[in-house]
Amino acid sequence: MAELALEHVGKVYRNGYEAIHDFSLEIKEGEFLILVGPSGCGKSTLLRMIAGLEDISSGELWVDGEIENYKEPRERNLAMVFQNYALYPNMSVYDNIAFSLSVRKVDKKEIKKKVYDTAKMLGIEHLLDRRPGELSGGQKQRVAIARALCMEPQLMLFDEPTSALDPEMVGEVLEVVKSLAQRGTTMIVVSHEMTFVRTISTRVLFLDKGVIEEDAPPQELFTNPHSERVKEFLSHHML
């Protein structure tokens, strides 16, 4: 598990578009933070900067007291689960889960144990010989989560893990994320599932135009939002 800090972080693209503006945030070990906000507000960009998939234009990113700005993604002790699964279609489920461990030249016996233990925990041990094309959306996302967990990351990032799923699959994947939260895994999740956000997170961050509009426990944000922008957003996204 990890403690993370962003200090005056900014992201400006070559065309001059500023996606993140003077962003500062601290996340404690074991915290379950969910990012919400309108499309284009910077949620996914923020995750990708933490993961090392986007350069940080300004400011500093710290994890457990070490600056991370210039580390390659594979050098960061974190894992990211994408909305489109990002599985290798020509590999078996086993090989997809084992891929990152193999790249790091982990011993084959250790890889086998980690893959089977993680697959069993997520209820996909019977799928290890299949290819991604033979799986449902929910099963694919479980494979993606298993691949991330095998790395035993300090921090897990989820970018809209249910957006590509059929409605009946959403609850299945959210239950997996919920179980990880209950284990005390430090997590940052981008989600538009407001019921999930309200009931599972320990802290909710509302972003708008690349800045923090509101930062509060879920009960406070949903029942007594201080920002008019948050009130407007929730009025359109809550039943």
Side-chain angles (χ1 to χ4, degrees), residues 15 88 97 101 126-127 146 166 221:
N15 63 3
Y88 296 102
I97 296 173
L101 296 173
H126 61 295
L127 303 175
D166 293 331
L221 185 132

Side-chain angles (χ1 to χ4, degrees), residues 13 38 53 60 66-67 94 117 136 159 176 187 197 234:
Y13 289 97
L53 302 174
E60 295 176 338
E66 289 190 16
I67 193 164
Y94 179 97
D117 287 350
S136 70
D159 188 7
V176 173
M187 291 193 289
V197 173
L234 292 178

Side-chain angles (χ1 to χ4, degrees), residues 17 26 159 168-169 171 182 222 227:
Y17 175 70
E26 290 187 5
D159 188 7
E168 62 268 24
M169 300 290 182
Q182 291 170 342
F222 282 95
S227 161

